[in-house]
Every structure is written in structure tokens, then in C-alpha cells.
Amino acid sequence: DAGVIQSPRHEVTEMGQEVTLRCKPISGHDYLFWYRQTMMRGLELLIYFNNNVPIDDSGMPEDRFSAKMPNASFSTLKIQPSEPRDSAVYFCASSRDTPGATNEKLFFGSGTQLSVL
Amino acid sequence: ILNVEQSPQSLHVQEGDSTNFTCSFPSSNFYALHWYRWETAKSPEALFVMTLNGDEKKKGRISATLNTKEGYSYLYIKGSQPEDSATYLCAFYNQGGKLIFGQGTELSVKP
């Protein structure tokens, strides 16, 4: 399996533009997570899905952020409009079962480095 | 707010030294404690997932222990090597259903 695949690896955009980040989880994994990495806050959970259904989006910073998972093999995180403070590395991760279960670990994608100018 | 605290924030050791660092988490509603290793320019990779009080896990020179009653876990590295240089993250999972990460301990091993 190729692992969790994220695209693009790098995104540079101007303030006000729409940004869409993409993620393909590992086949057979029922859980998908979006995290944001910043110096100030570390790895922050934004939203997670179970069987394509959003379970908890309380970490999404504001209405400018939205996430979808139309099927088991694809998810998007959209920022519209983007702002400079959104600049961060955005990670997607997947797991076969809940991370609370024995030996169930997260597999991370390579991340998207977002720079909003 | 669930706080996961890691200490120290950074650590510099010589090759061959053994080292350890701490992860503190809320002791109530505990489900699991994860450790991840994060090398620069790469993605975090899982080391251990522990679910039971008293759990001890080992992978090569790296081992971890878990105390859910007092809310802490230790990660040990025996005979550190330069390739062990990375940020080590712990993450706590409770009944709320979220995996919450600490800020990490940045380890640098000098040859």
C-alpha cells in the first residue's frame, strides 16, 4: 500500500484565495483525521471522520474551514477565503479502527505546507 | 480542555548516552496513549500504542512505560545514536474520541 497520500506537497497562495487540500487514506482504514501543525500550538486536531461521516469538527478554527469525505478513498480540506494566519503544515492521517483500541495507530501523510501571503 | 504535557521540550545528548522523557496526561477516562517519532522533513511514525496501566512496550533500544492512575508515560532510549535524533510526540486518547498530541520532546544526539 502506498500509505496516506496528500496533495499538494506545497501550496503558496495569496490572501483571499480559496485553498483545497486533498487526502487519500490507506485502503480499508475507517478513520480519517486532519491535523494542523504550527509552532505555537503543535499538532492540532481539526476534524475527524469515521466511515466517511464527520464525527467531531470542534477543532475547525472558523467557518472559513470546511472538510468533506465523499467516499472512503478521498477527503478534502478547504479554506475559503484564506488568510496569512492559516499558514501551517496540514497533515492527513488514517487508522483502521479507533485510536483508542489496542495497537491502533495513526498513519500520517507527508503533509501539505501552506503559505498564505 | 485536555492537556498533554511533555518534558523536557528539548534534549541534547552524546552518542551512547541513555535518555528518557515524560508525557503527562489527564488520568480520567483514559483509553490509550500513543508515542510517535517525527524526523525532520518526514511524517510522524508510530512507535507504541499502550492501553493498560502498567503496560511496557519495547522496540529495539526504545521502550515505554505507562501509568494511567497517575497520568504519565516514560519513553526510554538506551545507548542513543545520531539516527535517534527526532521529535518524540505522545498523544492521549480518552472517552471523548479525540487523539490529542503533546508539543513533543526534540532530541538531538551528537556523534
Side-chain angles (χ1 to χ4, degrees), chain B residues 41-53:
Chain B
K42 295 187 177 180
S43 312
E45 288 187 358
L47 287 171
F48 308 114
V49 178
M50 295 185 286
T51 54
L52 297 175
N53 184 43

Side-chain angles (χ1 to χ4, degrees), chain A residues 56-77:
Chain A
D56 190 323
D57 66 354
S58 59
M60 296 284 260
E62 46 197 276
D63 291 347
R64 298 184 296 106
F65 285 68
S66 61
K68 293 182 180 179
M69 192 165 185
N71 57 62
S73 58
F74 184 64
S75 177
T76 59
L77 178 68

Side-chain angles (χ1 to χ4, degrees), chain B residues 48-78:
Chain B
F48 308 114
V49 178
M50 295 185 286
T51 54
L52 297 175
N53 184 43
D55 252 356
E56 292 189 23
K57 298 257 181 166
K58 187 173 180 181
K59 188 175 182 178
R61 294 178 291 98
I62 304 177
S63 59
T65 61
L66 178 67
N67 183 322
T68 61
K69 295 187 186 308
E70 296 183 38
Y72 65 84
S73 175
Y74 293 137
L75 189 80
Y76 301 91
I77 303 178
K78 184 178 177 181

Side-chain angles (χ1 to χ4, degrees), chain A residues 90-102:
Chain A
Y90 291 81
F91 284 101
C92 174
S94 70
S95 64
R96 188 180 50 189
D97 197 348
T98 168
T102 303

Side-chain angles (χ1 to χ4, degrees), chain A residues 9 35 37-43 45 48 56 58-59 91 98-106 108-111, chain B residues 31-32 34 36 38 41-51 57 59 89 93 96-103:
Chain A
R9 287 295 300 271
Y35 282 90
Q37 165 71 14
T38 61
M39 289 291 291
M40 290 295 293
R41 300 171 73 109
L43 263 177
L45 179 64
Y48 78 94
D56 190 323
S58 59
F91 284 101
T98 168
T102 303
N103 293 324
E104 284 301 331
K105 55 191 177 183
L106 263 57
F108 282 83
S110 52
Chain B
Y31 269 52
H34 294 221
Y36 290 81
W38 192 0
K42 295 187 177 180
S43 312
E45 288 187 358
L47 287 171
F48 308 114
V49 178
M50 295 185 286
T51 54
K57 298 257 181 166
K59 188 175 182 178
L89 298 166
Y93 187 91
K98 295 181 185 181
L99 190 63
I100 307 296
F101 281 83
Q103 293 272 46

